[in-house]
Amino acid sequence: MINIRQYTKEFSYNLRLATPIILSMLGHTLVGVIDTAMVGNVGTLELAAASLGNSYVFLLMSFGIGFSTVVTTLTAESEKKKNPTETKSILTHGIFINGLLSLIIFGGLFFSEPLMRYTQQKEDVIALAVPYVHLVAFSIIPLMIFQSFKQFADGFSITQYSLYVTIIGNLFNIFLNYLFIYGNWGCPRMGVLGAAIGTLVSRFMMPFMLWIILYKDTRMTQYMTKLIPKINRGMVKKFLNLGVPSGLQVVFEAGIFIAATWISGVLGEVYQAANQIALSIATLTFMIANGMSVVAMIRVGNYKGLEDYISLRRVAISIFLFILLTQIVLGGMIGILRYELPTLFLDTNKLSSLSKITLVIDESAHLLLIAALFQLVDGLQTVALGALRGLQDAKIPMVLSFISYWIIAFPICYYLGLHTSLRTTGIWIGLLSGLAFSAILQTTRFLFLSGKLIKHNHS
């Protein structure tokens, strides 16, 4: 008989560890959500431009964020092995490699305009989106340095500092948005470009603030000096072997949501705006699962370092159960509030565009009903991937993600979205299908590998 208590007793510790991570991730997500909400009050055209611009930024940034998780994976194992020299090397190599990667991403974002035209986006939307992307591109460089410090601290289960920095960064971003989107206090009224300025400046502040806080923590001081790495080919190879497939896995997943944005853009401004609103709301609730995924990565990595595979499997399953329960509740709330939530992103008092706003709200409500359903499978596949990263298993999960999103989900999104009357509802049915398939494959993969480790350790 299964003793459920062995799993539920882990809930409290997992939640304490996850809370700062979740809030920090919410903060990062809120950069885009705040920009969307504040720009949406200028007009639906500006909202569509922010949506399109953020889709390109998010696609390449997702690879960088996925790649940077290697720092947490390796640190969580190394810290338990009590090897400070190796642990310091993980940080220095992380800063160096993530820094180089940020320059590549920065360059890649300057090819956004031909891609926008290739995917048949509206010309008036492209005209606003391209300069927005170019400005935000600069912010990727400090963001990746920040990620290096954040992921390293996460590997030590020190998760609260990045939260403090993220809160400060977000408050500053909101203030700059207020100044430059709307032209307050004598500043120029820049609309969507004002949102890019707020993002850029706040992200340049964040790595410096986090480094100072970590340096003043006596547990971390020894790691925060002499950050120029002595290049070790073995360490670089380990980063690439884990980081590239981890980054690609995130791109495959994020890419299907980007594709949904592009397809909705072909359908028109109203559909693109509705897609962005629904996606912003779903992304906020997804952060709980994403935070728990990091906890799974940390704790599985810790127990891997200790070679305690029974505990490794137990804590992972406890996280699976917790996320299933929380996502059921969140999905229900989204379903109930599906007509009220979209109004937060639109100025419903603008009578000149009232009919358009009504269409956006109705379409968003349909999408949020589907989003309420896929909270469950999305949460499960995310924490399963975190557990697999803790095992340093990256290549097969990458392949499973590609199959789920681009062999299963994309054809459904494309056909139902562009060739049936379902339109954006059809696109989101495709998303739901891919997420469900990924949840089954990734969870099965983890249970198989962890069971194999336990069997091998006791043979």
Side-chain angles (χ1 to χ4, degrees):
M1 184 176 179
I2 298 176
N3 179 13
I4 196 70
R5 174 61 184 161
Q6 67 175 316
Y7 303 116
T8 58
K9 71 179 182 181
E10 299 287 343
F11 283 6
S12 178
Y13 178 77
N14 289 339
L15 186 58
R16 285 199 305 274
L17 186 59
T19 298
I21 300 173
I22 293 167
L23 294 175
S24 181
M25 286 181 168
L26 278 169
H28 283 301
T29 305
L30 279 171
V31 171
V33 174
I34 289 167
D35 286 355
T36 300
M38 296 182 78
V39 169
N41 284 316
V42 177
T44 54
L45 177 62
E46 287 77 6
L47 178 60
S51 168
L52 180 61
N54 280 326
S55 71
Y56 283 88
V57 173
F58 186 63
L59 183 61
L60 290 183
M61 188 175 71
S62 294
F63 180 82
I65 299 298
F67 188 100
S68 71
T69 60
V70 177
V71 177
T72 299
T73 301
L74 297 178
T75 303
E77 181 181 10
S78 177
E79 189 265 334
K80 289 299 179 184
K81 289 181 176 178
K82 306 297 182 184
N83 188 343
T85 301
E86 180 187 71
T87 305
K88 175 68 175 288
S89 180
I90 291 168
L91 174 61
T92 57
H93 279 80
I95 294 171
F96 175 70
I97 296 171
N98 287 337
L100 289 178
L101 180 58
S102 72
L103 296 176
I104 296 172
I105 295 171
F106 167 76
L109 286 173
F110 278 82
F111 292 95
S112 60
E113 184 172 359
L115 282 172
M116 289 180 191
R117 298 190 188 282
Y118 180 76
T119 53
Q120 301 175 32
Q121 304 302 309
K122 307 299 180 184
E123 283 296 325
D124 52 352
V125 176
I126 291 175
L128 287 176
V130 169
Y132 173 82
V133 170
H134 289 172
L135 271 177
V136 173
F138 285 96
S139 74
I140 300 298
I141 298 170
L143 178 65
M144 288 300 294
I145 303 302
F146 172 81
Q147 280 296 121
S148 301
F149 289 121
K150 176 195 177 299
Q151 300 284 3
F152 185 72
D154 284 351
F156 278 83
S157 299
I158 300 173
T159 57
Q160 69 273 27
Y161 295 151
S162 59
L163 169 61
Y164 304 153
V165 172
T166 301
I167 290 172
I168 295 171
N170 268 309
L171 291 174
F172 197 63
N173 180 50
I174 293 170
F175 175 66
L176 292 177
N177 280 357
Y178 173 76
L179 294 182
F180 292 106
I181 291 177
Y182 307 128
N184 289 307
W185 291 12
C187 296
R189 180 183 172 90
M190 301 178 69
V192 69
L193 288 181
I197 289 176
T199 298
L200 176 64
V201 176
S202 62
R203 282 181 175 167
F204 264 98
M205 293 169 50
M206 291 170 66
F208 294 105
M209 287 191 292
L210 185 55
W211 177 82
I212 291 170
I213 294 172
L214 290 173
Y215 179 79
K216 291 185 176 181
D217 187 320
T218 55
R219 295 169 295 177
M220 305 297 288
T221 303
Q222 63 176 317
Y223 301 111
M224 293 298 119
T225 58
K226 299 180 180 178
L227 295 176
I228 305 299
K230 296 179 180 179
I231 301 300
N232 180 294
R233 288 187 178 182
M235 184 64 74
V236 171
K237 185 177 180 181
K238 186 177 289 189
F239 263 81
L240 294 178
N241 285 341
L242 293 174
V244 171
S246 293
L248 288 175
Q249 181 277 314
V250 176
V251 167
F252 293 150
E253 182 178 349
I256 193 63
F257 288 94
I258 303 304
T261 298
W262 290 350
I263 295 171
S264 66
V266 174
L267 294 174
E269 180 185 323
V270 167
Y271 294 103
Q272 189 171 27
N275 178 82
Q276 180 62 23
I277 289 170
L279 185 58
S280 296
I281 294 167
T283 301
L284 285 175
T285 58
F286 170 72
M287 287 302 105
I288 294 178
N290 217 1
M292 279 293 175
S293 176
V294 176
V295 172
M297 179 167 52
I298 293 169
R299 299 202 68 192
V300 168
N302 288 161
Y303 283 116
K304 183 176 183 293
L306 296 171
E307 298 184 0
D308 183 353
Y309 302 120
I310 292 176
S311 295
L312 179 154
R313 184 182 174 97
R314 175 175 50 79
V315 297
I317 292 175
S318 75
I319 294 171
F320 295 171
L321 291 174
F322 179 85
I323 210 63
L324 287 174
L325 293 172
T326 56
Q327 296 302 92
I328 287 172
V329 173
L330 289 171
M333 291 174 63
I334 288 175
I336 293 169
L337 299 174
R338 64 187 182 276
Y339 283 98
E340 288 76 18
L341 292 172
T343 61
L344 300 175
F345 294 82
L346 297 163
D347 187 353
T348 56
N349 293 318
K350 288 192 174 180
L351 297 178
S352 61
S353 58
L354 183 59
S355 60
K356 188 177 290 186
I357 287 171
T358 301
L359 288 173
V360 172
I361 292 173
D362 286 343
E363 193 66 24
S364 299
H366 295 153
L367 302 187
L368 287 173
L369 192 60
I370 300 173
L373 296 175
F374 75 44
Q375 295 296 306
L376 194 64
V377 289
D378 197 11
L380 185 58
Q381 66 92 23
T382 301
V383 293
L385 280 166
L388 288 168
R389 288 194 184 110
L391 288 177
Q392 298 180 24
D393 180 46
K395 293 180 181 178
I396 298 300
M398 174 194 69
V399 173
L400 298 180
S401 287
F402 180 81
I403 293 170
S404 300
Y405 300 121
W406 293 97
I407 304 300
I408 304 296
F410 180 72
I412 298 173
C413 291
Y414 184 84
Y415 177 75
L416 295 182
L418 295 181
H419 299 285
T420 74
S421 60
L422 289 171
R423 296 181 179 266
T424 47
T425 300
I427 295 171
W428 280 55
I429 288 172
L431 296 177
L432 176 61
S433 302
L435 290 167
F437 208 81
S438 178
I440 293 169
L441 292 178
Q442 307 292 5
T443 304
T444 301
R445 172 75 177 168
F446 174 79
L447 294 175
F448 169 76
L449 289 181
S450 59
K452 187 176 179 181
L453 285 170
I454 292 170
K455 184 178 179 181
H456 178 75
N457 199 45
H458 286 79
S459 61

